[in-house]
Every structure is written in C-alpha cells, then in structure tokens.
Amino acid sequence: MYIFEFGFNVGKKLREKNANLDVMDGEILLKKFPDGEFYARVISNIENEDCVVVQSIYNSDEFLKAILILDAIKRSKAKSINLVIPYLTYMRQDKIFLKGEALSAEVILKNLNSYADKIFLINSHNQQFRKSRKFKYEGIEIYNMDAFSEIAKYFKNLKNPKVISPDEGALDTAKECGKILKCESNYLVKKRDRVTGKIVIEDKNLGVEGKDVLIADDIISSGGTMIEALKIIKKQNPASINLACVHGVFCDNENFLILKTLADELVATNSIPNKVAKIDLSELIAGELAENLIKK
Ligand code: R5P
C-alpha cells in the first residue's frame, strides 16, 4: 500500500502499529507554475497498488490540488484510491436554504467520488454525515471520524473540568468529551440569521462557577460563536476558560486575537494549518485506517 500524505504522519504511525505492514510513502512531484496553476506527477510505481491520500481540503486551491493528485494516481493505474480528508471545505452548504442557491457540498463530493473508492472525513459539518459514522453517499463508502476524543485527551490535566458546547447541535460531542474527562457537560442555545449571518446565543446559567471550562466545537470559522459563548461563560466566574475546536479555520484574525487573549488556552487540531494546531490527528487517522481499510 502506498500513502501520499500532506502535513500528516499517518504512514509512520501505521508502521509503528504493525512493523510487518507493507506501507510505503508514495512519491509525487507537485509544482505551482508562476501563474498559480498546479502540476502533479506520481513518481512511485503504484500500478495495481492500493493507495491512500491524506490531504485536507481547506480552500479552493487545495481542492484543485487534490483533484490533480487523484487524477495522477488514477492514471498511474492504482488498484484502489482511499481518500482521507481531515477537513473538507464547503460541507456547510449541504442543502438549499434559500431559493436559487448552489448545492456546494454535493458539487465537491461528486468530484471527489469520481476518483475515490472510500472517503474518510473528520467531524464533517455536513448534517447528513453528522448523524452516522459510516454510510454510503452516491455509491461511495464515507466514514466520518470523530476527533473530540483527541481534544479531550489534550485537556486530560484540567483539575475541575466541565465541557460546554456552544450550540445544542454539538451537545453529543461535548458529552463524549465529558465522558473521557469524567465530568459533566452542558450546552448553550445559538441562533444564526441565515441572511445577515449574525449570531445570537441565549444567556443561560451553566453551573460553571469555579470550574475549568472547556468550550469545544467542531469548527471555529469567524470565531463569532466562540466569542459569544466566552462572554456568557466569563460572567459566571469559572476558574479557567479553555477553547478547542477540531477545525481551526480562523478566517477573522481580529476575532482570533480576541479569543487568544481572553481564553486561558485556545487549541485546534492540525486538520487545517493554523497558529494553534497543537493536536495532531495522525494517530486517530492511522487507527481508523487500520480498522476499516487494512483489516478488510
Ligand atoms: C455551527 O453549527 C458550528 O458548530 C460552529 O459553531 C460554527 O460553524 C462556527 O462558526 P463561527 O466561528 O463563524 O461562528
């Protein structure tokens, strides 16, 4: 099996798990021309080999890069292509909310599906995918891994923890974190105006006085949700406030600085390159591949 990975160490973790495993690092030449166009050429001989690509797709450029990598692998006659996408952009527009909109999630997935045999995602924001860990989408097996366990492990030394989800939708994941940290969890109720994008979080007593609060969310994009949640929790005299997300988009630098200043700790995983990506997902991905790909 050949593994082509960008920003992760999954091949090494897989070899550490099982020294007899035939996992080789795939060699690929990637270039960007002066006008911004990508070029991809597979160097390893992967004819009739199973291949794994581990690449986050966090913007339009990365999407195009991924398609070219997949095309190069397919044309090199790989036996199978398994795609691990720790962060897959455009998944939030997973249904038509307002008349006349494009269905972004479907557009992206259709393109990826035409190359991949299996797709592995991590805490994808697509509502359909959030409901189950494994399902079929247009004939392709999709696995949606959960990285909240990695967040909980990172915060294992909090003295008096309580996990808070900034909206009701992420309550289950907050509960999972709570189980690992052996503590209670609670949630805030958030509403967002679809047209203006404005977020309103209802004030609520969360029972966090004297607690080391961990506010955990699947994604921090503009940071607006976390700032609102933080403001409400700060008023309730916790011992500390720690902020964590799986996907650190941090598209608003001013908000990022506010979060970093006001919180005791702000961390994200490395699903997207960012300044607080202290939680490496390679081990989680290696475990999932060992379970669902290599065993079969
Ligand atoms: C919403 O359902 C998500 O779980 C996040 O809370 C949201 O996408 C974060 O977005 P932002 O950082 O822009 O408020």
Side-chain angles (χ1 to χ4, degrees):
M1 185 170 95
Y2 278 87
I3 184 154
F4 295 86
E5 52 185 331
F6 305 90
F8 297 89
N9 262 313
V10 178
K12 185 169 167 247
K13 299 276 177 197
L14 280 169
R15 289 187 287 267
E16 276 168 14
K17 279 183 192 297
N18 182 350
N20 300 322
L21 214 58
D22 203 11
V23 178
M24 285 163 288
D25 296 323
E27 201 185 333
I28 188 162
L29 174 66
L30 285 176
K31 281 197 301 198
K32 204 169 186 183
F33 292 107
D35 61 0
E37 286 183 5
F38 287 111
Y39 169 92
R41 180 181 162 229
V42 171
I43 308 292
S44 309
N45 179 9
I46 56 167
E47 192 167 335
N48 215 21
E49 299 278 355
D50 291 311
C51 290
V52 174
V53 178
V54 187
Q55 188 203 342
S56 270
I57 300 178
Y58 48 86
N59 58 32
S60 316
D61 244 24
E62 290 300 310
F63 175 64
L64 253 182
K65 194 162 104 188
I67 294 290
L68 294 190
I69 291 168
L70 292 169
D71 193 62
I73 292 175
K74 194 171 178 181
R75 286 175 193 280
S76 303
K77 302 195 173 80
K79 185 163 130 201
S80 69
I81 306 179
N82 302 285
L83 188 49
V84 182
I85 318 170
Y87 178 67
L88 179 56
T89 188
Y90 282 109
M91 288 304 103
R92 281 181 282 182
Q93 180 73 20
D94 58 355
K95 65 177 186 188
I96 302 295
F97 298 97
L98 300 172
K99 189 169 169 265
E101 288 177 338
L103 192 46
S104 320
E106 192 180 284
V107 173
I108 300 287
L109 284 163
K110 269 191 180 163
N111 272 286
L112 297 171
N113 277 4
S114 62
Y115 291 100
D117 292 84
K118 286 182 182 176
I119 296 181
F120 296 82
L121 305 174
I122 299 183
N123 294 105
S124 171
H125 203 79
N126 190 311
Q127 290 303 328
Q128 188 190 344
F129 300 179
R130 279 173 118 179
K131 289 180 197 133
S132 93
R133 292 248 305 117
K134 183 185 166 191
F135 52 89
K136 284 218 166 183
Y137 180 85
E138 306 226 336
I140 301 248
E141 271 181 46
I142 301 204
Y143 297 76
N144 194 15
M145 293 175 246
D146 184 4
F148 275 81
S149 53
E150 305 303 299
I151 289 178
K153 280 186 223 157
Y154 180 88
F155 284 101
K156 66 180 187 302
N157 293 329
L158 287 182
K159 282 198 188 101
N160 189 12
K162 182 153 186 173
V163 185
I164 303 295
S165 152
D167 78 59
E168 210 170 341
L171 175 63
D172 285 349
T173 37
K175 275 188 186 156
E176 275 310 305
C177 266
K179 258 190 219 159
I180 297 173
L181 293 174
K182 298 189 177 60
C183 71
E184 289 177 353
S185 52
N186 206 334
Y187 64 94
L188 285 159
V189 179
K190 175 175 92 174
K191 294 203 173 82
R192 187 193 288 261
D193 186 312
R194 278 266 152 217
V195 180
T196 62
K198 201 173 162 10
I199 295 159
V200 182
I201 298 190
E202 288 169 18
D203 218 337
K204 175 180 173 189
N205 186 350
L206 296 159
V208 291
E209 190 167 345
K211 297 274 184 190
D212 293 302
V213 174
L214 168 58
I215 315 179
D217 205 353
D218 57 346
I219 179 167
I220 299 181
S221 187
S222 67
T225 302
M226 273 295 186
I227 289 180
E228 288 308 304
L230 199 132
K231 279 188 201 158
I232 290 173
I233 290 169
K234 232 182 173 42
K235 286 191 288 189
Q236 301 183 20
N237 300 320
S240 69
I241 304 182
N242 306 278
L243 311 178
C245 65
V246 177
H247 308 301
V249 177
F250 301 119
C251 59
D252 183 324
N253 197 45
E254 213 173 291
N255 281 351
F256 172 78
L257 294 174
I258 293 175
L259 290 173
K260 235 181 152 297
T261 314
L262 294 183
D264 291 84
E265 175 137 34
L266 169 65
V267 290
T269 75
N270 61 345
S271 71
I272 301 171
N274 67 75
K275 288 183 197 140
V276 291
K278 296 185 197 157
I279 303 172
D280 182 16
L281 295 172
S282 303
E283 182 75 39
L284 177 80
I285 298 168
E288 187 79 9
L289 293 182
E291 182 66 24
N292 291 303
L293 199 62
I294 295 161
K295 258 193 190 171
K296 308 280 149 169

